[in-house]
Every structure is written in structure tokens, then in C-alpha cells.
Amino acid sequence: MADADTAFAAADDYDLAVVATPHQTHVERAGRALKAGLHVVVDKPLALTACDAQELADAADAANRALSAFQNRRWDGDFLTPASAPPRS
């Protein structure tokens, strides 16, 4: 797509928006996507402040849409090791 306005104008053709833009634009773009009726995945950080993140979460709830932050290192060995380690006695 040429730009965000074009993408949001065609929102009826899609189910999901992925926001992978400069950090300072995440909240604005994710909010627009939610208002357009799309589920949203936002590259980390989700927002620059906790207040902004809460506003996005509230907007997702109000729109009955999923909102998630993308964490591309979730499957790296240093993330998996603690999850697979046996419990301490």
C-alpha cells in the first residue's frame, strides 16, 4: 500500500493490521487500525508510555478486537531455557 490512509480506507478487505513503523507512531497507527475494525499487532514497544498502552488496550476492548505486541525474540534459546527448566525443589 502506498500509505496508511490507503490501508485504512481498504480495512474491509483485511482482518489484521501490523504496525511496524517508528516508535512514536505506534499508538496513532494502532488506534486508527482499531477504529477501522482491524485486529492489531504492534512491533515493540507497543507504546511509549503506560498511559498510551492502556488507552490502546481500552480501544481494543471497546472495538472487540485483539491487540498484541510483537516480540520477535520469544523463541530464542535464552527465552526458552527458563520456561523449560525443571522446577526448583
Side-chain angles (χ1 to χ4, degrees):
M1 301 243 162
D3 57 42
D5 291 332
T6 303
F8 296 130
D12 290 341
D13 296 337
Y14 303 97
D15 297 320
L16 172 74
V18 176
V19 178
T21 58
H23 301 336
Q24 65 273 16
T25 65
H26 286 183
V27 172
E28 183 267 334
R29 298 275 169 91
R32 286 181 66 191
L34 290 167
K35 286 179 185 171
L38 298 167
H39 300 284
V40 180
V41 175
V42 181
D43 198 11
K44 62 180 185 157
L46 177 68
L48 297 179
T49 68
C51 182
D52 285 345
Q54 186 62 58
E55 286 181 17
L56 278 180
D58 293 344
D61 286 343
N64 196 30
R65 293 292 176 254
L67 171 68
S68 180
F70 178 69
Q71 180 14 309
N72 64 351
R73 299 201 57 199
R74 188 68 60 203
W75 303 112
D76 285 4
D78 55 337
F79 279 86
L80 292 174
T81 301
S84 63
R88 291 182 174 176
S89 324

